[in-house]
Amino acid sequence: EISGLFTRDPSPRMAVGLAISTDLPERSAFVCQNKQINQLLAVTRRTFRSNYHSYPEDCPAREKSGWLGDAQWCAPLWLYHFESDLALEKYADDIMESYDVYGEFPMVSPGRRPCGKATPLWGQAIVQIPYQLWKIRGRENALKKAYPYMRAWLDDEQGRFIGGLPVEGLGDWLPPVGNESPLRVPVEQACALGIYEAAKQMEEIGYEVKVGRGDARLKPSLVTT
């Protein structure tokens, strides 16, 4: 937004834009002979930078909120392309702190507006982000710290099932075919697949990492002992 101009025909040369983002060094590089692939990679990196200002955002122009869904699906990209281990650990801490404050996982953390309780594929961020930190970067301590919260989320989701399936959520939000298209994956199926994926990841963690089963800070009703 530019304000304070008193001419009817402002020139583009009257303003200078400055791209600002968290200074995360690049971890990897890739170049090939296909110009379209190179351009796609450049756009991807630029999109990441424009959406990271101390925490992952949903967009750089409007809300600038830490939506959990946007963050978890991009976590592998960040970890492969940028030195973002500590930044994502900090974001996982934000999600856990939100739980400690509100007693549930919100859709947004940190939040710039009310957002309500996380739907399945958004709350899954508390599983996906620590899991990816562990699988890609070997950050086992971050996984151990988050594990009680991961259990609390999964137990809570199971408590919302009807007939063995989740019945609410955003599902595959904004798919290429459009939300109203019959080709869109039904919300129940999309959410069930996400919860199944998280459960399998937690099973893998249970086999390979020594993790605690509870935490005094969590709601007792949400922790399986």
Side-chain angles (χ1 to χ4, degrees), residues 12 36 51 61 65 90 107 134 155-156 163 166 185-186 196:
Q36 288 183 318
N51 283 281
S65 295
K90 164 63 169 59
M107 294 282 282
W134 169 57
D155 291 344
D156 188 41
V185 178
Y196 174 78

Side-chain angles (χ1 to χ4, degrees), residues 60-219:
R62 297 183 294 106
E63 294 183 20
K64 304 177 183 176
S65 295
W67 284 89
L68 272 62
D70 305 65
Q72 66 154 318
W73 294 317
C74 294
L77 180 149
W78 300 338
L79 291 169
Y80 281 122
H81 286 265
F82 297 91
E83 298 285 351
S84 56
D85 305 22
L86 295 179
L88 277 180
E89 283 190 28
K90 164 63 169 59
Y91 186 65
D93 287 344
D94 290 339
I95 300 174
M96 291 183 277
E97 184 175 348
S98 295
Y99 182 94
D100 291 339
V101 171
Y102 299 111
E104 62 185 18
F105 296 104
M107 294 282 282
V108 174
S109 179
R112 291 170 55 91
R113 66 176 185 82
C115 56
K117 184 175 182 177
T119 56
L121 297 185
W122 270 242
Q124 188 184 351
I126 190 55
V127 177
Q128 280 290 344
I129 292 175
Y131 176 82
Q132 298 297 343
L133 279 164
W134 169 57
K135 290 294 289 186
I136 297 174
R137 300 300 303 161
R139 310 291 287 196
E140 189 171 296
N141 287 337
L143 185 70
K144 291 180 177 180
K145 182 178 181 180
Y147 190 75
Y149 293 84
M150 297 160 68
R151 289 185 59 87
W153 171 79
L154 186 60
D155 291 344
D156 188 41
E157 288 301 330
Q158 289 178 312
R160 294 201 284 177
F161 285 2
I162 296 179
L165 288 173
V167 295
E168 58 179 304
L170 298 180
D172 181 17
W173 188 244
L174 298 180
V177 294
N179 282 345
E180 305 304 322
S181 170
L183 298 177
R184 181 190 180 194
V185 178
V187 168
E188 295 84 354
Q189 293 182 21
C191 293
L193 288 171
I195 293 173
Y196 174 78
E197 178 186 32
K200 293 295 292 183
Q201 289 169 340
M202 293 181 66
E203 180 185 35
E204 179 184 356
I205 294 166
Y207 277 119
E208 299 189 25
V209 181
K210 294 181 180 179
V211 291
R213 295 181 61 84
D215 191 302
R217 294 175 297 170
L218 304 186
K219 280 186 177 181

